Amino acid sequence: MRAHHPGHHERVDGNAAGGILLDIFGRDMTGARAACAHCEHEGPLANAVAEVDDAGMILLCRGCGRTLLTAVRSDGVQTLVIGGLHRLRWGL
C-alpha cells in the first residue's frame, strides 16, 4: 500500500514537464541538453528527474539529484528559478 504524504511527489522523467516548459519557452524543450553545475552531468531535459503537480515542476539532475530548475505558478504569476543548471543548449 502506498501512502500519500503532503510535500512528497512521485518522481517521473522530464517528459512530464514538457507542457510547462513549452509554456515558458514557447517551444518543445525536452530535447534541450542541460548541464548540471554541481556534477557536470549533461543530458536532455527529458532524462532529468521531474516532480510535477498543479503548482508547477522541479527538474532534478539525473547524475547527482540536485535541483536544476523550478517553475511555480501562483496568483497569476509564473516564476522560473534556475538552481544548479549550468548550461542549457538546444538547436535552432
Side-chain angles (χ1 to χ4, degrees):
M1 179 168 146
R2 292 177 53 165
H4 175 72
H5 299 285
H8 294 181
H9 304 283
E10 183 176 352
R11 290 185 171 184
V12 294
D13 72 35
N15 283 309
I20 296 170
L21 293 169
L22 178 64
D23 288 346
I24 294 168
F25 291 98
R27 62 176 292 148
D28 178 12
M29 293 299 287
T30 56
R33 296 194 61 82
C36 178
H38 299 285
C39 73
E40 299 183 18
H41 176 82
E42 183 173 333
L45 285 176
N47 289 340
V49 177
E51 294 181 0
V52 181
D53 63 20
D54 292 340
M57 59 95 183
I58 299 171
L59 288 179
L60 306 168
C61 175
R62 179 72 63 183
C64 68
R66 295 205 184 182
T67 301
L68 295 173
L69 59 93
T70 304
V72 179
R73 299 179 200 137
S74 178
D75 299 324
V77 175
Q78 174 114 357
T79 302
L80 178 65
V81 178
I82 308 219
L85 183 66
H86 173 69
R87 178 178 58 249
L88 185 61
R89 297 182 319 152
W90 63 90
L92 300 175

